[in-house]
Amino acid sequence: MAYRKLLYVWGLCYLFIATQALFEDQIGKFDWVQRYIGAVQHAVYDESTTPARRIIVTTSHSVLAALSTKNGEIIWRHVLEKNEFGTVDFLAIDGTQVTTISGQKLLRTWDSITAAIIDEVQLDHTPAVGVWSSFLSASSIEVIIVELVEGSAVVTSIDRESGAQLHQFTAPAPWLQQSTKCAISGKQLICIEASLGLVFTMPLTSATITAFSSQPLAAVGIEVLGDAEETKVDLEKVAGSEEHLVLQIGTHRKLVHVHPTGLHLVRDVGITKAAAVYGNNLYTATHIGRTMTLEAINQETNQDLPEQGIVVELPPHSGTALSIYVYKFDRRDGGSAVRALITCSDHSVHLISNAGVVWSREEALASVLAAEAVDLPVAGASINYHEQLSPHAGLLGSLLHRIKTQWTQVAMWLKSFLGSPESFLHAAHHHDLTRDEFNLRKLLVVATAGGKILALDTWRGDVVWSAYIPTLVPFSNNKMLLFTQRTSAHFPHEPQCIVVAKHRVTGEGLLFVFEPITGLGVGENNGVVSLGYKLFHVSLLQYTDDKFLKPLLLIDTQQNPHVYPASGEAVVLEHKESLFVHLAHPGSTSLGGYSLRFSKPGDLTLTKVWTTALGGGEITGIYNKPAGEKVHSPGRVLADRSVLYKYINPNLAVVTTQGYDHINKNTLTLFLVDMVTGAIVESVVHKRVSGPIYVVHSENWVVYSCFNEKYRRNEITSLELYDGLTQSNATAFSSFGARTTPPLMEKQAFILPQALQAAAHTVTDKGITSKFILFALQSGNIIQMSKWFLDPRRPVSNNAPGREEGLAPYVPELPLPPQEMINYNHSLPHVTAIFTAPTGMESTCIVLVYGLDLFYTRVFPSKMFDMLKDDFDHYLIGGVLLALVTAALVSRRLAQRKALNQAWK
Amino acid sequence: MSSRTVAPRRKWALDLAGRRSERGGDFLPSPPGYMGSVMQVHAEGTRQTDPSLIIKKAWDIALSPLKSVPMNLFLMYMAGSSISIFPIMMVGMMLLRPIKALWATNATFKAIEGSQVLLQKLIYLLGNLANVALALYKCQSMGLLPTHASDWLAFQEPAMRMEYTHGGIVLS
């Protein structure tokens, strides 16, 4: 019976929602996918063929991949686990057999050609208590793990074949500090303690219990001057050699050779960035400006090999070189050639040869943290004057505005005609970046964890520009904020975007202000603004100043508000009565609300106006509504044609708290809090559920997912808030508006057959189009689910009013039909977030899914109601029309002639 | 036959002169019941105006909309209240016909003069209005009239936002 009911509902679903599957010929027509691997950590050349065809790499994004030496394409890629087993500590290759050790626990062997896993051995090793750091080394027989704990080093030797522990010993090291730098090199553990001016070495050969022996740093030619505590100390491994190390103390950089007897200085490598060894030769890389110089030295004869040196120009904004991996091979004509893989601080990788850069990979795009869609500038005269018109302008005002705008356009056109260099349109034309008719083509500006800002053209996904700010790092919760301060609509003002993150060294706030079409910094210091204080919170005000710029409100750790640019202070003061701030510290249980009401010119202050203590444990998330969201429909039409008005409170935020109940089970409490007054509008408690929680909050609804521990399944709950059948105030919404009754809440939970990686909702220009909720599933699919499926008003019984309203009867399981997977067969691993943005067409929303890979497409939540289908046959329809018109004209003429002839008979 | 004639003739050509004597039409008797004098008398009779007849005719016209009300009621009942092409067409006709008739009131009563013409016009007007009302009632019962708040929902402007709040979990 239930089965039949389910079948019926499924049928109904398909009746209502015509499926929108992609046709085969539409693949790649308006979507693209870009595969990445992340910042390379280890790399080895697969020398089973000559010359080597593959470079096996492991990355910070737990990826093991083979890159083609020819063009840099990914030959194969394994995305490993997200947990500790995904972090590869060791990579080696023997013939075609690749060995990785990940999480100090799993030794895996892979075939470099087929990418198949050959063997997996679990190492018998439990980490010691209070480990500061650990190091790993492997040979063909054993795996040695060294763990540094307070006062000693624990050395564990594990059999490589079986994973069984061979022996373990603890070497006392009373001098050991947490800042001590150590490395394993040539079967020895090397530690540098700069404060003592000593190098400690300990052989790690099995079966003999040994102790540290020390050697002064002066023996390798390093004098520690000044404050040893503050000197930068580093030990870098040298690719291609187990027995070499680069020792850095302060500005000294020395290449040392590790002998069983101790360290021997090989060379002073002062200004070089990285070193590598291949065969008998030592290669050092110097990176000055964009020029990368690779010098080769024969180690035995100690003479330069200029024929193996490389001097190339790396692509602009590549950061500094971090490590190089060199490979030398004999060419067919008898000569030898050198290839070097360079990893840079901006996460990019380059393969260089003496002919230049062979290929580059922009791996910064594997760690996108924030995205923003920027409208391209319109071509010359057709600038839409409506977009900058204030809605209260009136008839005369809009006429004047129009004349003024068109006069500026004419003036700018004349100026550009006379060759003035000021117009930003020129730069855009340079890349042939102009807005298309429907504003479907945009520029996606992304901020990445490596401090690189890039702009992608949505057309094909090409990188239009990139900017690397070495000092820019994300906040410690891996967040980077990107805002559009001014859109392209305010011609002749240039659009402006801003990235907010922190300084790499000081941890203070750092801004990068730039023009998003060209990527050039705005203002002094190339757009990089150092704030001089640490940040608590940053947000973009919705009010604009006289230059259509939305000021940025920054709140420092002393809870003092600041405004960027400083001219925005006037905007804040003008609207201080209606500006509020809410803050919550991670781990706290209460929210604080602040007002800017008591600000004076030159002295902005936050005054605490309310504190709301929330039950249910620590606050784990606050989800505001999207800024500047447009809601077109203020209510829903019921079956009896009355209106159920939506409770659209733009100041409402979802606050989640997670804690334990009286029997120590996980609970999740969801509060809907009005963030102006601090009033709790509604709350929902879920017992025995755990995270991760994904919340989508928009209009008058909240959709969130969590894991139900009792039934061991993923559940999605949908909440909707309604004002009732009458509206208290239809023209304005104020949180202080008197309400006699709380809003009505409808809620319903559904079962989702898969766990989620991310969730988002579609956004359209006017908010008329119905919404899709996009879920990134663990399987790597992105599914578009109509909000209709998640309607909490779906009736439990199949009754008449529900049918009249177009509601399907409630069925707990949500369908995941394959034709709703917007990324069809491109599985997307490790999705960070889904970014959606409106286009000029009301029906269309652009989607960028970022994470390890980038995926871009368009979605049509209400189908293409305002444009012709992609496969619309213009030629056929036009041809038929033309043929019909011609036929009509010809037959008319013929008929006329015939009638005339008849008349003459 | 035409091959025998010397000059080609059009097939529809009538010889009104030559052959009549051959046919001997003048000598034919009149058909039974035909009296040439009677028609003359009848024509003279219609030309005379009969005032009572005009008034009767005028009342007929004035009352015709009212007379059609029961018929319309029956039709409406038969049409049902489902929204499909035929009921919509019928309702549309019912609504448009009286409105058209109302516009053409003066034209309808142009030929008619008399002392009661004002009253007749009023009755005619009322009858048509009754028909319009009936049609509107039908529209209303079919749900075609925008009388609910839901019908105007799409035109409602979004509410203005009075306060703005910014914030969230602090960045660490």
Side-chain angles (χ1 to χ4, degrees):
Chain A
M1 189 64 209
Y3 176 70
R4 276 178 69 183
K5 193 178 158 194
L6 198 72
L7 253 180
Y8 167 72
V9 171
W10 268 79
L12 211 71
C13 295
Y14 284 104
L15 261 179
F16 278 108
I17 306 247
T19 48
Q20 302 193 344
L22 206 65
F23 289 97
E24 200 177 347
D25 62 320
Q26 288 178 308
I27 287 175
K29 208 161 184 180
F30 37 72
D31 61 79
W32 45 259
V33 69
Q34 290 176 5
R35 302 279 184 202
Y36 292 101
I37 52 174
V40 171
Q41 284 178 329
H42 302 98
V44 285
Y45 287 86
D46 173 11
E47 293 177 42
S48 57
T49 54
T50 314
R53 290 207 188 103
R54 290 170 217 91
I55 307 171
I56 313 293
V57 292
T58 65
T59 70
S60 56
H61 282 62
S62 38
V63 167
L64 172 72
L67 301 178
S68 160
T69 48
K70 214 176 252 173
N71 50 21
E73 277 170 15
I74 300 170
I75 299 171
W76 52 261
R77 182 180 79 167
H78 280 296
V79 181
L80 306 177
E81 299 92 326
K82 241 182 175 173
N83 55 19
E84 64 194 67
F85 299 126
T87 50
V88 177
D89 311 312
F90 176 83
L91 172 73
I93 190 164
D94 180 20
T96 61
Q97 198 163 319
V98 180
T99 308
T100 61
I101 300 174
S102 46
Q104 303 185 350
K105 199 82 183 162
L106 280 181
L107 189 146
R108 286 162 169 160
T109 16
W110 316 78
D111 188 272
S112 71
I113 296 166
T114 61
I117 189 163
I118 299 167
D119 192 15
E120 183 177 274
V121 179
Q122 195 149 6
L123 304 180
D124 177 22
H125 171 249
T126 32
V129 185
V131 176
W132 285 344
S133 53
S134 55
F135 305 92
L136 192 142
S137 137
S139 67
S140 54
I141 313 153
E142 58 176 1
V143 177
I144 294 167
I145 298 169
V146 178
E147 287 163 302
L148 301 182
V149 293
E150 193 171 1
S152 59
V154 183
V155 180
T156 316
S157 166
I158 295 163
D159 182 59
R160 187 173 157 157
E161 287 294 311
S162 63
Q165 205 174 92
L166 295 175
H167 63 265
Q168 189 172 36
F169 67 90
T170 307
W175 42 266
L176 203 63
Q177 288 177 20
Q178 246 171 330
S179 59
T180 310
K181 296 283 173 188
C182 294
I184 295 183
S185 179
K187 291 241 160 194
Q188 295 208 63
L189 179 70
I190 323 283
C191 289
I192 297 182
E193 188 43 61
S195 56
L196 301 171
L198 291 174
V199 183
F200 295 90
T201 52
M202 178 169 71
L204 295 172
T205 42
S206 54
T208 50
I209 294 176
T210 48
F212 282 100
S213 57
S214 67
Q215 183 182 7
L217 274 172
V220 287
I222 294 176
E223 303 283 331
V224 183
L225 301 168
D227 191 1
E229 300 282 320
E230 304 222 336
T231 333
K232 189 191 166 200
V233 181
D234 213 355
L235 270 173
E236 289 167 23
K237 288 206 159 195
V238 174
S241 167
E242 274 283 286
E243 282 150 12
H244 285 84
L245 276 178
V246 173
L247 233 141
Q248 174 159 17
I249 292 167
T251 52
H252 297 279
R253 279 173 69 87
K254 309 278 174 185
L255 184 80
V256 292
H257 187 248
V258 182
H259 275 293
T261 54
L263 303 185
H264 293 276
L265 177 69
V266 178
R267 239 186 131 75
D268 188 353
V269 285
I271 54 160
T272 64
K273 295 287 177 195
V277 170
Y278 189 84
N280 258 337
N281 299 350
L282 172 76
Y283 298 85
T284 54
T286 321
H287 194 187
I288 297 164
R290 277 176 60 190
T291 314
M292 164 68 72
T293 316
L294 197 72
E295 284 167 359
I297 300 135
N298 190 316
Q299 282 191 67
E300 284 168 1
T301 58
N302 211 7
Q303 65 186 165
D304 285 347
L305 303 166
E307 76 281 1
Q308 289 189 28
I310 299 175
V311 180
V312 290
E313 288 246 309
L314 288 187
H317 309 289
S318 289
T320 54
L322 293 181
S323 52
I324 57 167
Y325 303 90
V326 178
Y327 169 63
K328 186 173 111 3
F329 61 96
D330 296 324
R331 279 205 300 254
R332 284 209 190 110
D333 57 17
S336 66
V338 174
R339 296 274 183 278
L341 184 79
I342 300 170
T343 64
C344 290
S345 57
D346 69 329
H347 298 184
S348 62
V349 248
H350 313 274
L351 188 79
I352 59 167
S353 74
N354 39 15
V357 178
V358 183
W359 50 258
S360 293
R361 285 188 68 86
E362 197 63 89
E363 290 303 333
L365 289 169
S367 47
V368 174
L369 294 180
E372 194 79 6
V374 178
D375 292 348
L376 292 169
V378 277
S382 62
I383 289 166
N384 189 355
Y385 85 103
H386 281 293
E387 286 186 29
Q388 46 176 302
L389 184 62
S390 86
H392 314 291
L395 195 69
L396 195 70
S398 62
L399 179 73
L400 280 175
H401 180 87
R402 182 178 192 127
I403 293 169
K404 217 169 88 184
T405 317
Q406 293 192 333
W407 170 246
T408 4
Q409 285 168 17
V410 170
M412 286 309 285
W413 178 76
L414 281 174
K415 237 185 191 177
S416 69
F417 201 67
L418 297 171
S420 163
E422 279 174 335
S423 170
F424 71 94
L425 292 171
H426 281 288
H429 281 308
H430 181 67
H431 293 285
D432 193 29
L433 287 174
T434 43
R435 196 183 293 193
D436 59 348
E437 203 181 340
F438 302 129
N439 196 7
L440 294 171
R441 184 179 182 182
K442 296 200 175 216
L443 212 56
L444 289 167
V445 178
V446 293
T448 65
K452 199 167 192 180
I453 320 295
L454 299 107
L456 303 169
D457 181 5
T458 59
W459 199 248
R460 284 278 162 264
D462 309 323
V463 174
V464 177
W465 57 260
S466 63
Y468 176 58
I469 295 108
T471 47
L472 196 74
V473 287
F475 294 108
S476 44
N477 49 359
N478 209 17
K479 250 189 173 178
M480 219 179 223
L481 302 162
L482 175 60
F483 300 103
T484 305
Q485 283 195 297
R486 184 165 52 210
T487 62
S488 310
H490 305 291
F491 186 80
H493 298 291
E494 294 182 354
Q496 186 171 318
C497 283
I498 193 161
V499 174
V500 188
K502 69 175 188 184
H503 195 278
R504 187 184 292 273
V505 183
T506 60
E508 291 169 346
L510 195 71
L511 307 179
F512 176 51
V513 192
F514 59 99
E515 199 276 282
I517 307 295
T518 56
L520 299 174
V522 174
E524 297 162 19
N525 200 6
N526 263 335
V528 180
V529 181
S530 197
L531 291 174
Y533 46 83
K534 292 186 180 177
L535 287 170
F536 251 13
H537 189 261
V538 184
S539 56
L540 194 69
L541 296 179
Q542 292 302 303
Y543 298 107
T544 56
D545 67 4
D546 50 347
K547 286 178 179 159
F548 307 101
L549 196 76
K550 289 180 180 170
L552 207 63
L553 182 71
L554 307 136
I555 293 158
D556 66 14
T557 41
Q558 305 298 314
Q559 299 200 351
N560 290 322
H562 305 265
V563 181
Y564 181 87
S567 62
E569 196 190 78
V571 180
V572 174
L573 289 170
E574 188 189 340
H575 300 284
K576 63 181 182 181
E577 302 285 327
S578 61
L579 277 177
F580 296 86
V581 172
H582 58 272
L583 294 173
H585 290 269
S588 77
T589 57
S590 68
L591 282 168
Y594 304 83
S595 166
L596 282 156
R597 179 179 295 248
F598 300 102
S599 300
K600 288 183 279 298
D603 177 30
L604 297 181
T605 48
L606 282 185
T607 316
K608 197 161 197 170
V609 283
W610 53 263
T611 310
T612 301
L614 302 173
E618 295 177 352
I619 294 175
T620 51
I622 297 180
Y623 306 89
N624 297 320
K625 282 191 188 174
E629 184 183 39
K630 285 177 189 155
V631 185
H632 186 261
S633 157
R636 280 181 71 155
V637 182
L638 300 184
D640 63 351
R641 300 177 67 202
S642 57
V643 181
L644 187 59
Y645 286 99
K646 294 174 179 173
Y647 177 72
I648 303 165
N649 180 353
N651 304 320
L652 198 72
V654 176
V655 184
T656 55
T657 63
Q658 282 173 281
Y660 303 98
D661 66 354
H662 62 283
I663 47 167
N664 260 344
K665 298 285 184 199
N666 286 319
T667 54
L668 162 71
T669 318
L670 205 94
F671 294 94
L672 296 170
V673 186
D674 186 305
M675 288 300 185
V676 169
T677 59
I680 297 173
V681 176
E682 277 289 352
S683 68
V684 187
V685 182
H686 290 269
K687 287 196 170 152
R688 300 190 66 178
V689 299
S690 59
I693 298 155
Y694 299 97
V695 179
V696 182
H697 186 197
S698 167
E699 296 191 5
N700 66 326
W701 50 264
V702 185
V703 169
Y704 58 95
S705 100
C706 52
F707 182 73
N708 187 324
E709 290 178 332
K710 190 175 175 189
Y711 296 108
R712 296 178 175 277
R713 65 189 182 197
N714 287 287
E715 290 184 350
I716 286 190
T717 312
S718 174
L719 310 176
E720 278 184 10
L721 290 167
Y722 290 100
D723 237 346
L725 296 175
T726 52
Q727 209 171 12
S728 46
N729 186 349
T731 52
F733 185 89
S734 169
S735 293
F736 297 112
R739 282 191 65 90
T740 46
T741 50
L744 311 165
M745 186 165 77
E746 303 266 2
K747 58 171 182 272
Q748 198 72 269
F750 302 89
I751 302 167
L752 194 74
Q754 280 195 44
L756 295 185
Q757 296 190 77
H761 63 95
T762 57
V763 194
T764 51
D765 196 26
K766 302 261 186 289
I768 299 169
T769 309
S770 62
K771 294 233 175 195
F772 267 158
I773 305 193
L774 303 168
F775 292 121
L777 305 175
Q778 281 291 353
S779 61
N781 289 113
I782 313 295
I783 192 157
Q784 54 179 26
M785 187 172 285
S786 173
K787 180 71 183 51
W788 183 78
F789 279 109
L790 295 164
D791 196 326
R793 300 186 69 253
R794 282 172 71 172
V796 176
S797 63
N798 184 17
N799 57 358
R803 264 210 310 269
E804 189 97 340
E805 250 186 87
L807 297 173
Y810 173 70
V811 175
E813 293 88 0
L814 288 171
L816 296 180
Q819 56 269 48
E820 298 289 307
M821 312 278 188
I822 57 171
N823 57 342
Y824 42 105
N825 61 355
H826 299 305
S827 293
L828 302 174
H830 297 191
V831 172
T832 314
I834 302 172
F835 170 76
T836 55
T839 64
M841 293 307 273
E842 176 54 30
S843 66
T844 314
C845 169
I846 60 168
V847 178
L848 175 76
V849 184
Y850 55 87
L852 182 61
D853 295 341
L854 291 183
F855 175 73
Y856 165 85
T857 191
R858 295 178 200 164
V859 290
F860 309 96
S862 295
K863 293 195 265 177
M864 293 165 142
F865 63 81
D866 54 0
M867 63 173 142
L868 292 175
K869 274 242 160 64
D870 168 62
D871 57 350
F872 185 81
D873 206 335
H874 292 86
Y875 293 109
L876 183 72
I877 306 273
V880 166
L881 264 178
L882 207 71
L884 281 175
V885 169
T886 340
L889 286 175
V890 168
S891 58
R892 182 161 164 248
R893 179 104 189 95
L894 287 176
Q896 275 176 346
R897 233 166 57 194
K898 191 168 179 193
L900 197 66
N901 285 342
Q902 288 254 313
W904 279 110
K905 258 181 199 163
Chain B
M1 200 173 83
S2 58
S3 59
R4 278 187 219 162
T5 54
V6 182
R9 286 193 308 169
R10 305 232 176 243
K11 32 185 168 182
W12 44 267
L14 284 175
D15 193 348
L16 295 168
R19 303 251 177 136
R20 185 167 290 185
S21 54
E22 285 169 32
R23 287 208 305 262
D26 284 349
F27 307 105
L28 284 175
S30 293
Y34 175 80
M35 282 180 283
S37 59
V38 174
M39 208 171 79
Q40 219 108 34
V41 174
H42 180 74
E44 275 168 27
T46 47
R47 254 179 231 139
Q48 287 174 349
T49 46
D50 185 350
S52 66
L53 212 62
I54 290 176
I55 289 168
K56 195 169 170 264
K57 182 80 183 158
W59 274 114
D60 266 357
I61 295 172
L63 285 174
S64 65
L66 274 179
K67 279 180 188 161
S68 67
V69 167
M71 178 64 179
N72 279 352
L73 272 173
F74 178 70
L75 272 176
M76 279 179 187
Y77 171 72
M78 292 304 285
S81 62
S82 65
I83 310 278
S84 57
I85 180 88
F86 285 105
I88 292 280
M89 270 165 66
M90 284 167 86
V91 170
M93 286 303 288
M94 273 174 209
L95 193 66
L96 283 179
R97 226 173 345 163
I99 289 173
K100 266 186 193 162
L102 277 178
W103 281 116
T105 304
N106 277 335
T108 319
F109 285 91
K110 201 175 185 180
I112 298 157
E113 288 159 11
S115 53
Q116 293 167 322
V117 74
L118 265 177
L119 185 68
Q120 284 161 352
K121 275 190 180 176
L122 189 73
I123 300 270
Y124 184 77
L125 193 82
L126 285 177
N128 276 322
L129 283 179
N131 272 328
V132 171
L134 260 182
L136 285 178
Y137 169 74
K138 182 68 187 166
C139 283
Q140 204 263 336
S141 68
M142 284 170 81
L144 293 176
L145 294 187
T147 49
H148 289 81
S150 57
D151 300 316
W152 304 97
L153 200 63
F155 302 98
Q156 196 175 328
E157 286 287 314
M160 216 171 78
R161 191 172 173 180
M162 300 303 284
E163 296 99 9
Y164 283 88
T165 175
H166 303 275
I169 289 204
V170 302
L171 304 160
S172 39

